[in-house]
Amino acid sequence: MLASAGGATLALLHPTPARSQGQGAGAVFPQPSQVPGGVARLSLGPAAERPGALVGDLPVLVVGDPIEWTALVGIPLSAAPGEAFVEVREARRAATSTSTSTSTSTSVSTRRLRYVISPKRYSEQQLKVPPGKVDLAPADLARYERERTHLAKVTAAYSEPYPERLEMEVPVPGRRSSSFGLRRVFNGQSRNPHSGMDIAAATGTPVVAPLAGTVIDVGDYFFNGGTVWLDHGRGLLTMYCHLSAMDVRSGDRLRAGERLGAVGATGRVTGPHLHWSVSLNRAMVDPALFLAS
Ligand SMILES: [Zn+2]
């Protein structure tokens, strides 16, 4: 069964960097981090064919080879610490021989794989601003609601091809804040935690794709400003916000390192920077887990 999977196919579907790039055991991407906003790396063991895995009803990225498959589960910032499960589906082929013929049948076995999400206390930022800056004006609120509906569709994008690799390049050089997960409280009201990495850079600095991907959304949004989304395959998406220029259109395919736009200060920001988010199985996870340094 193993041979029938085909060497070429396996080589293509082989994005586990630890082995395929000949790096040490410490250099796996994404780095494991079983906390809200992190990525769990769950060993699924050997199997002739790549198992499927689901978290809730969402497909999970499974990488590796018949010797060792690994499920990479994005954990939402809102996840409760404690035990969690992925559903693993493995195809088993059985050959049945009669006196005249041999037929193969495929059965699917399903098991629940338990893992534990550790608590992580992200820091909190208390901000006092004039009341009008917290509550949106009716027109802004209506715009935001429309955009939220649209963005929910974008974040649900899913394409079949596997990411070519999982180590990412930084989309723009510059000082990286460690503010992923920061809990922001405006005048005592909790807002969504910061779900990306901010990189300080001057307006006009080129922003490049950190990994090959397809452009799935280009727009100008109330909070996020000029925004580009890339689909890297199998539920791995990235988002770039506050851009001053967007040089791509939906459907464009980008190679790693190819320019998609330029840093700006569009949307609700206080100064030019890139906001970069990484989404895995619809969970916003810490982009730093995908970077080498
Ligand atoms: Zn940000």
Side-chain angles (χ1 to χ4, degrees):
M1 275 338 318
L2 219 151
S4 73
T9 309
L10 283 174
L12 277 173
L13 305 181
H14 204 300
T16 305
R19 268 194 300 258
S20 62
Q21 293 169 13
Q23 295 169 333
V28 294
F29 297 97
Q31 296 157 43
S33 176
Q34 266 176 237
V35 299
V39 177
R41 298 180 60 93
L42 307 176
S43 171
L44 304 182
E49 292 183 26
R50 187 191 302 257
L54 294 172
V55 59
D57 56 0
L58 298 175
V60 165
L61 176 58
V62 174
V63 298
D65 55 39
I67 311 283
E68 172 73 21
W69 298 105
T70 302
L72 302 176
V73 188
I75 305 172
L77 275 165
S78 59
E83 68 176 5
F85 297 90
V86 290
E87 189 179 300
V88 182
R89 293 178 176 177
E90 281 154 322
R92 295 239 165 77
R93 290 206 187 151
T96 315
S97 294
T98 65
S99 55
T100 54
S101 68
T102 300
S103 64
T104 54
S105 61
T106 304
S107 63
V108 176
S109 71
T110 300
R111 63 188 164 103
R112 287 215 308 169
L113 182 62
R114 178 181 178 274
Y115 63 106
V116 174
I117 301 171
S118 302
K120 177 162 181 173
R121 187 86 179 153
Y122 289 102
S123 46
E124 187 179 276
Q125 186 179 34
Q126 292 276 353
L127 296 159
K128 284 236 183 308
V129 291
K133 296 273 182 187
V134 176
D135 301 311
L136 296 183
D140 291 340
L141 188 61
R143 176 183 170 187
Y144 169 64
E145 301 280 347
R146 283 195 305 276
E147 293 178 356
R148 195 168 55 176
T149 305
H150 171 75
L151 286 172
K153 283 187 203 142
V154 176
T155 54
Y158 188 86
S159 60
E160 295 294 326
Y162 283 82
E164 62 174 20
R165 62 204 297 249
L166 291 166
E167 179 183 358
M168 298 189 187
E169 301 168 22
V170 279
V172 65
R175 188 177 49 80
R176 299 178 212 159
S177 81
S178 56
S179 64
F180 177 86
L182 183 72
R183 295 171 301 129
R184 292 170 296 188
V185 182
F186 287 89
N187 297 358
Q189 296 179 34
S190 290
R191 291 290 144 136
N192 288 333
H194 188 237
S195 58
M197 172 189 281
D198 290 341
I199 305 176
T203 292
T205 308
V207 177
V208 303
L211 189 68
T214 301
V215 178
I216 54 166
D217 193 57
V218 178
D220 182 12
Y221 300 110
F222 182 74
F223 283 107
N224 293 344
T227 299
V228 171
W229 281 85
L230 299 182
D231 178 358
H232 306 285
R234 292 274 160 175
L236 180 64
L237 311 177
T238 55
M239 176 178 74
Y240 309 83
C241 300
H242 314 309
L243 302 174
S244 61
M246 294 169 280
D247 307 325
V248 291
R249 289 191 298 184
S250 282
D252 287 354
R253 294 189 57 79
L254 300 183
R255 297 183 302 275
E258 207 167 341
R259 177 178 162 131
L260 61 86
V263 172
T266 55
R268 282 253 170 144
V269 289
T270 52
H273 71 276
L274 175 70
H275 172 102
W276 176 34
S277 283
V278 174
S279 173
L280 183 61
N281 52 262
R282 295 195 209 175
M284 294 292 200
V285 298
D286 188 352
L289 301 174
F290 292 81
L291 295 175
S293 52

